[in-house]
Amino acid sequence: MPYPHSVLQRLLTVSFICVLGGTAVLAFAPVAAAEPATPVTYPAGATATRYSGLAFDTCTAPPLASVQAWSASPYRALGVYVSGANRTCAQPQLTASWVASVSQLKWRLLPIHKGLQPPCGARPTDAKISTTPATARSQGTAAAGEAITAAKALGMLPGSALYNDIENYNQSDTVCRTAVLTYVSAWTRELHRLGYVSGVYMNLNLGAKQLADVYTSTTYARPDALWIARYDGVDSLKGWGGIADSKWAVHQRAKQFRGGHDETYGGVTLNVDTDRLDAPVATVAYSYKVTSTTTLNARTGPSTSYPVASTYAPGSTLKVACQTPGSKVGTTSVWDKLTNGSYVSDYYVSTPSNTGYSSPLPRCTYPYQVTAPSGLTERSGPGSGYTAVGTSPNGALAWVTCQRAGSTVGTTKVWDHLDNGHYVSDYYVATPSNTTYSKPVPRC
């Protein structure tokens, strides 16, 4: 298997000359050198979604009527247990129809997989991770597959973040610690291989710190987002003891800061845990109608200059994943990306607005980890000669919206346009290619 370009950057950091001429080094590099940033292989219809604000989670997904009543609450995101051998609560409400309805109400969802637990922690009756590394690795891979299958059945698209719930464990047990880290690493690698974003939920002091300790390790793949439990009543996403603010720093954090308690909104009482999020969540499709009076062309990119991929009859239903800028049609420059990866002008779609973006549709983004060891300079344009306007720390998510050509860095001329308007060289981002453009990211 060829090494992703993030590997080249870590192995050959002595000089730019080494990057160009380090073939012999690569030929004998150990497999473990592929860590900690592994590329995400997003399929054509994928996009990521993130949420910033208050969230809650409950053991059993509440009825739709309860979610409707909680529109009076400060929450707009909800954690749901989608899969796992140790998922203890029944989920009679958790169906594809429920997910679609809740999403139409403008709620975001955090899919949780409660699978195998640490061999030296959690409940005695829980199914456990093996202390044999090879077995733990296969278990982590299987967990990712199980979570993806469950998420797909609920209508959650590739690009969704899936969170693996790892409960408390004994920090002094090195065999146990290795088992957990191996399991989580395999979970992350498999999610990335299949086009999903990797999240992990851990107690701050009894798990998360150990994950932070191997943040730059070449042994373990690094998850994209960290959700901690720390019941101190403080909803800050910074100042976590033992975890530097520079780790999981760019829309990659969540905190469960209050444990189970009752809250009432709209006359409905639920027992919830309370969370603060600035992190990736599930991506879902939203249904809209074609409003044109003639056949609507769906194209391979967000512009009328792209080839026609398919056509849709007037009044037909479209499954929209996200919105992105493109060529102007009528009164709007917004294009809708469909779940099959094609694009249609939003001017001919029944979204709430035909001049701008429409909530709750997310903007199309493709997050990949930054691989530059000392951080990656963000610039005002696609070239090293443009003004420096910020820095993405090592391991941060580069929320890429599109790619374009710029000045050469390392082995590529590709520059990534971020959703904050800045540009970074693709050479230091864990996209699938380090020489050319990476599908399905569109051209700028």
Side-chain angles (χ1 to χ4, degrees), residues 7-22 25 373 427-428:
V7 180
L8 300 179
Q9 290 142 18
R10 257 186 312 283
L11 290 175
L12 307 177
T13 56
V14 176
S15 69
F16 177 65
I17 294 174
C18 289
V19 173
L20 295 179
V25 176
Y427 185 69
Y428 292 107

PDB file of all heavy atoms in Angstrom, residues 7-22 25 373 427-428:
ATOM      1  N   VAL A   7       2.695  10.805   5.592  1.00  0.00           N
ATOM      2  CA  VAL A   7       3.800   9.976   6.056  1.00  0.00           C
ATOM      3  C   VAL A   7       5.126  10.553   5.582  1.00  0.00           C
ATOM      4  O   VAL A   7       6.107  10.601   6.316  1.00  0.00           O
ATOM      5  CB  VAL A   7       3.637   8.542   5.504  1.00  0.00           C
ATOM      6  CG1 VAL A   7       4.779   7.682   5.976  1.00  0.00           C
ATOM      7  CG2 VAL A   7       2.320   7.972   5.951  1.00  0.00           C
ATOM      8  N   LEU A   8       5.162  10.989   4.343  1.00  0.00           N
ATOM      9  CA  LEU A   8       6.397  11.564   3.817  1.00  0.00           C
ATOM     10  C   LEU A   8       6.849  12.728   4.672  1.00  0.00           C
ATOM     11  O   LEU A   8       8.029  12.886   4.971  1.00  0.00           O
ATOM     12  CB  LEU A   8       6.165  12.054   2.380  1.00  0.00           C
ATOM     13  CG  LEU A   8       5.717  11.013   1.347  1.00  0.00           C
ATOM     14  CD1 LEU A   8       5.528  11.682   0.003  1.00  0.00           C
ATOM     15  CD2 LEU A   8       6.735   9.911   1.239  1.00  0.00           C
ATOM     16  N   GLN A   9       5.901  13.545   5.071  1.00  0.00           N
ATOM     17  CA  GLN A   9       6.273  14.736   5.823  1.00  0.00           C
ATOM     18  C   GLN A   9       6.833  14.395   7.187  1.00  0.00           C
ATOM     19  O   GLN A   9       7.704  15.083   7.702  1.00  0.00           O
ATOM     20  CB  GLN A   9       5.032  15.631   5.968  1.00  0.00           C
ATOM     21  CG  GLN A   9       4.640  16.236   4.627  1.00  0.00           C
ATOM     22  CD  GLN A   9       3.162  16.293   4.455  1.00  0.00           C
ATOM     23  OE1 GLN A   9       2.412  16.194   5.424  1.00  0.00           O
ATOM     24  NE2 GLN A   9       2.699  16.456   3.231  1.00  0.00           N
ATOM     25  N   ARG A  10       6.325  13.311   7.796  1.00  0.00           N
ATOM     26  CA  ARG A  10       6.837  12.966   9.106  1.00  0.00           C
ATOM     27  C   ARG A  10       8.179  12.258   9.031  1.00  0.00           C
ATOM     28  O   ARG A  10       9.038  12.426   9.877  1.00  0.00           O
ATOM     29  CB  ARG A  10       5.830  12.076   9.835  1.00  0.00           C
ATOM     30  CG  ARG A  10       5.056  12.825  10.880  1.00  0.00           C
ATOM     31  CD  ARG A  10       4.196  11.890  11.661  1.00  0.00           C
ATOM     32  NE  ARG A  10       3.437  11.004  10.832  1.00  0.00           N
ATOM     33  CZ  ARG A  10       2.344  11.360  10.168  1.00  0.00           C
ATOM     34  NH1 ARG A  10       1.902  12.573  10.251  1.00  0.00           N
ATOM     35  NH2 ARG A  10       1.693  10.507   9.436  1.00  0.00           N
ATOM     36  N   LEU A  11       8.345  11.433   8.001  1.00  0.00           N
ATOM     37  CA  LEU A  11       9.581  10.665   7.890  1.00  0.00           C
ATOM     38  C   LEU A  11      10.749  11.507   7.404  1.00  0.00           C
ATOM     39  O   LEU A  11      11.890  11.286   7.780  1.00  0.00           O
ATOM     40  CB  LEU A  11       9.374   9.497   6.919  1.00  0.00           C
ATOM     41  CG  LEU A  11       8.459   8.377   7.402  1.00  0.00           C
ATOM     42  CD1 LEU A  11       8.269   7.375   6.283  1.00  0.00           C
ATOM     43  CD2 LEU A  11       9.014   7.719   8.644  1.00  0.00           C
ATOM     44  N   LEU A  12      10.439  12.482   6.538  1.00  0.00           N
ATOM     45  CA  LEU A  12      11.509  13.229   5.885  1.00  0.00           C
ATOM     46  C   LEU A  12      11.414  14.701   6.260  1.00  0.00           C
ATOM     47  O   LEU A  12      11.051  15.541   5.470  1.00  0.00           O
ATOM     48  CB  LEU A  12      11.392  13.065   4.368  1.00  0.00           C
ATOM     49  CG  LEU A  12      11.317  11.613   3.875  1.00  0.00           C
ATOM     50  CD1 LEU A  12      11.119  11.583   2.378  1.00  0.00           C
ATOM     51  CD2 LEU A  12      12.565  10.859   4.261  1.00  0.00           C
ATOM     52  N   THR A  13      11.716  15.018   7.476  1.00  0.00           N
ATOM     53  CA  THR A  13      11.579  16.391   7.945  1.00  0.00           C
ATOM     54  C   THR A  13      12.908  17.119   8.039  1.00  0.00           C
ATOM     55  O   THR A  13      12.958  18.263   8.460  1.00  0.00           O
ATOM     56  CB  THR A  13      10.917  16.399   9.338  1.00  0.00           C
ATOM     57  OG1 THR A  13      11.683  15.591  10.212  1.00  0.00           O
ATOM     58  CG2 THR A  13       9.504  15.872   9.272  1.00  0.00           C
ATOM     59  N   VAL A  14      13.990  16.467   7.659  1.00  0.00           N
ATOM     60  CA  VAL A  14      15.294  17.115   7.792  1.00  0.00           C
ATOM     61  C   VAL A  14      15.390  18.312   6.888  1.00  0.00           C
ATOM     62  O   VAL A  14      15.826  19.382   7.292  1.00  0.00           O
ATOM     63  CB  VAL A  14      16.426  16.112   7.482  1.00  0.00           C
ATOM     64  CG1 VAL A  14      17.775  16.804   7.520  1.00  0.00           C
ATOM     65  CG2 VAL A  14      16.392  14.980   8.496  1.00  0.00           C
ATOM     66  N   SER A  15      14.977  18.167   5.627  1.00  0.00           N
ATOM     67  CA  SER A  15      15.036  19.277   4.692  1.00  0.00           C
ATOM     68  C   SER A  15      14.150  18.999   3.509  1.00  0.00           C
ATOM     69  O   SER A  15      13.691  17.884   3.284  1.00  0.00           O
ATOM     70  CB  SER A  15      16.470  19.492   4.201  1.00  0.00           C
ATOM     71  OG  SER A  15      16.866  18.411   3.384  1.00  0.00           O
ATOM     72  N   PHE A  16      13.897  20.053   2.737  1.00  0.00           N
ATOM     73  CA  PHE A  16      13.100  19.905   1.534  1.00  0.00           C
ATOM     74  C   PHE A  16      13.778  18.967   0.547  1.00  0.00           C
ATOM     75  O   PHE A  16      13.140  18.226  -0.183  1.00  0.00           O
ATOM     76  CB  PHE A  16      12.887  21.280   0.902  1.00  0.00           C
ATOM     77  CG  PHE A  16      12.130  21.247  -0.392  1.00  0.00           C
ATOM     78  CD1 PHE A  16      10.808  20.839  -0.413  1.00  0.00           C
ATOM     79  CD2 PHE A  16      12.742  21.588  -1.587  1.00  0.00           C
ATOM     80  CE1 PHE A  16      10.111  20.795  -1.597  1.00  0.00           C
ATOM     81  CE2 PHE A  16      12.044  21.541  -2.772  1.00  0.00           C
ATOM     82  CZ  PHE A  16      10.721  21.149  -2.785  1.00  0.00           C
ATOM     83  N   ILE A  17      15.099  18.946   0.521  1.00  0.00           N
ATOM     84  CA  ILE A  17      15.844  18.058  -0.371  1.00  0.00           C
ATOM     85  C   ILE A  17      15.545  16.615  -0.037  1.00  0.00           C
ATOM     86  O   ILE A  17      15.368  15.775  -0.916  1.00  0.00           O
ATOM     87  CB  ILE A  17      17.360  18.316  -0.274  1.00  0.00           C
ATOM     88  CG1 ILE A  17      17.664  19.729  -0.803  1.00  0.00           C
ATOM     89  CG2 ILE A  17      18.145  17.279  -1.050  1.00  0.00           C
ATOM     90  CD1 ILE A  17      19.117  20.146  -0.628  1.00  0.00           C
ATOM     91  N   CYS A  18      15.430  16.318   1.266  1.00  0.00           N
ATOM     92  CA  CYS A  18      15.139  14.940   1.671  1.00  0.00           C
ATOM     93  C   CYS A  18      13.770  14.513   1.163  1.00  0.00           C
ATOM     94  O   CYS A  18      13.556  13.362   0.810  1.00  0.00           O
ATOM     95  CB  CYS A  18      15.182  14.812   3.189  1.00  0.00           C
ATOM     96  SG  CYS A  18      16.839  14.938   3.880  1.00  0.00           S
ATOM     97  N   VAL A  19      12.817  15.444   1.144  1.00  0.00           N
ATOM     98  CA  VAL A  19      11.482  15.107   0.669  1.00  0.00           C
ATOM     99  C   VAL A  19      11.523  14.683  -0.785  1.00  0.00           C
ATOM    100  O   VAL A  19      10.856  13.756  -1.224  1.00  0.00           O
ATOM    101  CB  VAL A  19      10.537  16.323   0.840  1.00  0.00           C
ATOM    102  CG1 VAL A  19       9.196  16.051   0.201  1.00  0.00           C
ATOM    103  CG2 VAL A  19      10.377  16.632   2.317  1.00  0.00           C
ATOM    104  N   LEU A  20      12.354  15.371  -1.576  1.00  0.00           N
ATOM    105  CA  LEU A  20      12.422  15.065  -2.993  1.00  0.00           C
ATOM    106  C   LEU A  20      13.232  13.819  -3.277  1.00  0.00           C
ATOM    107  O   LEU A  20      13.005  13.128  -4.267  1.00  0.00           O
ATOM    108  CB  LEU A  20      13.034  16.253  -3.747  1.00  0.00           C
ATOM    109  CG  LEU A  20      12.218  17.544  -3.721  1.00  0.00           C
ATOM    110  CD1 LEU A  20      12.959  18.626  -4.475  1.00  0.00           C
ATOM    111  CD2 LEU A  20      10.850  17.307  -4.334  1.00  0.00           C
ATOM    112  N   GLY A  21      14.170  13.506  -2.408  1.00  0.00           N
ATOM    113  CA  GLY A  21      15.064  12.399  -2.739  1.00  0.00           C
ATOM    114  C   GLY A  21      15.077  11.299  -1.725  1.00  0.00           C
ATOM    115  O   GLY A  21      16.048  10.559  -1.642  1.00  0.00           O
ATOM    116  N   GLY A  22      14.001  11.122  -0.948  1.00  0.00           N
ATOM    117  CA  GLY A  22      14.028  10.151   0.138  1.00  0.00           C
ATOM    118  C   GLY A  22      13.440   8.815  -0.202  1.00  0.00           C
ATOM    119  O   GLY A  22      12.870   8.159   0.657  1.00  0.00           O
ATOM    120  N   VAL A  25      14.549   5.871   1.985  1.00  0.00           N
ATOM    121  CA  VAL A  25      13.988   5.883   3.332  1.00  0.00           C
ATOM    122  C   VAL A  25      12.585   5.306   3.322  1.00  0.00           C
ATOM    123  O   VAL A  25      12.208   4.489   4.160  1.00  0.00           O
ATOM    124  CB  VAL A  25      13.972   7.325   3.883  1.00  0.00           C
ATOM    125  CG1 VAL A  25      13.306   7.364   5.238  1.00  0.00           C
ATOM    126  CG2 VAL A  25      15.396   7.862   3.994  1.00  0.00           C
ATOM    127  N   PRO A 373       4.456  19.066  11.594  1.00  0.00           N
ATOM    128  CA  PRO A 373       4.776  18.871  13.008  1.00  0.00           C
ATOM    129  C   PRO A 373       4.702  20.138  13.850  1.00  0.00           C
ATOM    130  O   PRO A 373       4.287  20.091  15.012  1.00  0.00           O
ATOM    131  CB  PRO A 373       6.201  18.315  12.972  1.00  0.00           C
ATOM    132  CG  PRO A 373       6.334  17.679  11.632  1.00  0.00           C
ATOM    133  CD  PRO A 373       5.528  18.533  10.719  1.00  0.00           C
ATOM    134  N   TYR A 427       0.153  19.892   0.713  1.00  0.00           N
ATOM    135  CA  TYR A 427       1.268  19.009   1.034  1.00  0.00           C
ATOM    136  C   TYR A 427       1.299  18.638   2.516  1.00  0.00           C
ATOM    137  O   TYR A 427       1.786  17.570   2.883  1.00  0.00           O
ATOM    138  CB  TYR A 427       2.590  19.675   0.630  1.00  0.00           C
ATOM    139  CG  TYR A 427       3.792  18.786   0.819  1.00  0.00           C
ATOM    140  CD1 TYR A 427       3.975  17.660   0.017  1.00  0.00           C
ATOM    141  CD2 TYR A 427       4.737  19.063   1.792  1.00  0.00           C
ATOM    142  CE1 TYR A 427       5.068  16.838   0.189  1.00  0.00           C
ATOM    143  CE2 TYR A 427       5.842  18.241   1.974  1.00  0.00           C
ATOM    144  CZ  TYR A 427       6.004  17.132   1.165  1.00  0.00           C
ATOM    145  OH  TYR A 427       7.086  16.311   1.341  1.00  0.00           O
ATOM    146  N   TYR A 428       0.775  19.507   3.345  1.00  0.00           N
ATOM    147  CA  TYR A 428       0.790  19.273   4.789  1.00  0.00           C
ATOM    148  C   TYR A 428      -0.602  18.960   5.346  1.00  0.00           C
ATOM    149  O   TYR A 428      -0.888  19.212   6.514  1.00  0.00           O
ATOM    150  CB  TYR A 428       1.378  20.485   5.508  1.00  0.00           C
ATOM    151  CG  TYR A 428       2.850  20.675   5.226  1.00  0.00           C
ATOM    152  CD1 TYR A 428       3.296  21.702   4.399  1.00  0.00           C
ATOM    153  CD2 TYR A 428       3.793  19.806   5.763  1.00  0.00           C
ATOM    154  CE1 TYR A 428       4.649  21.865   4.133  1.00  0.00           C
ATOM    155  CE2 TYR A 428       5.146  19.957   5.496  1.00  0.00           C
ATOM    156  CZ  TYR A 428       5.566  20.985   4.690  1.00  0.00           C
ATOM    157  OH  TYR A 428       6.907  21.140   4.421  1.00  0.00           O
TER     158      TYR A 428
END
